[in-house]
Amino acid sequence: LTLKQKRDTLIISMKNTIDEIKKILIEQHRVIKDDMEKITEMFNSEKTFNADIAYGLLIKFNDDLNKHLQMENHQFYPEMIKQMHGASDAEKMKNLFHDMMIMEKAVYRLLQKYSSGEKIKSSLQEFKKEFGDIEGVLSSRIEREETKVF
């Protein structure tokens, strides 16, 4: 193979890898959105509200989000930044990457503050608002990412 053919083969291979990662990330988005819906439903159902189950749902949401962020932060965005041709495109990718780091910290702070079902129960209205803010920002981010990046 010529050097050009090897380069073209490598580019095709990288594109296939990026496409596979995108599919996985989209599937993870669905899981994260489902987690958020379950948490919201739990908090909106006063009759069936159980603080320990709510906390378990919050932990699952955090675990699913962290798995997703690991793939985005260590595979997808670094590769996309490498493939960017213009400084403007690379800067947009870096900004999206930075935005998710901020979101990750917000979720971490939420988990630190509400580290048990009892803590959630004792500040339920405040938790609902804080989680609702995170859910709104994350839902918008997922929508923007799927329409503009993927």
Side-chain angles (χ1 to χ4, degrees):
L1 291 173
T2 68
L3 185 57
K4 183 184 179 324
Q5 290 171 322
K6 287 179 183 177
R7 184 183 63 85
D8 290 346
T9 301
L10 180 60
I11 289 170
I12 290 169
S13 174
M14 285 174 21
K15 178 162 178 19
N16 288 339
T17 300
I18 289 293
D19 288 344
E20 288 302 312
I21 291 172
K22 284 179 184 178
K23 287 178 189 174
I24 293 168
L25 292 173
I26 289 170
E27 288 172 21
Q28 290 175 335
H29 283 167
R30 300 297 166 260
V31 170
I32 291 165
K33 288 170 109 175
D34 186 55
D35 290 344
M36 291 188 298
E37 279 181 27
K38 286 178 181 173
I39 291 169
T40 300
E41 286 173 13
M42 170 66 74
F43 292 119
N44 289 335
S45 176
E46 309 254 337
K47 292 179 184 174
T48 60
F49 177 76
N50 178 303
D52 293 326
I53 292 173
Y55 181 69
L57 291 171
L58 185 61
I59 294 298
K60 181 182 180 317
F61 163 70
N62 182 60
D63 290 346
D64 291 338
L65 181 62
N66 282 329
K67 287 176 195 169
H68 177 73
L69 292 174
Q70 287 298 312
M71 182 169 275
E72 272 191 353
N73 296 349
H74 299 289
Q75 292 178 302
F76 181 72
Y77 280 111
E79 191 57 46
M80 289 298 290
I81 290 168
K82 283 183 206 171
Q83 293 182 23
M84 293 290 119
H85 297 291
S88 174
D89 288 340
E91 191 62 32
K92 286 177 190 172
M93 284 294 149
K94 286 178 184 176
N95 288 339
L96 285 169
F97 178 74
H98 177 72
D99 289 348
M100 277 315 290
M101 290 177 67
I102 292 170
M103 176 58 62
E104 184 177 18
K105 288 176 185 173
V107 171
Y108 177 77
R109 282 191 305 271
L110 186 79
L111 282 166
Q112 292 299 306
K113 185 174 181 179
Y114 301 101
S115 59
S116 70
E118 193 56 43
K119 288 184 180 181
I120 291 171
K121 189 176 182 179
S122 68
S123 301
L124 187 57
Q125 293 308 313
E126 187 178 345
F127 177 85
K128 281 182 181 181
K129 184 200 177 316
E130 290 177 40
F131 183 78
D133 292 345
I134 287 173
E135 181 179 23
V137 170
L138 191 53
S139 293
S140 295
R141 165 58 189 247
I142 288 170
E143 180 70 27
R144 188 172 70 236
E145 196 171 61
E146 288 185 3
T147 58
K148 295 186 180 197
V149 178
F150 296 172

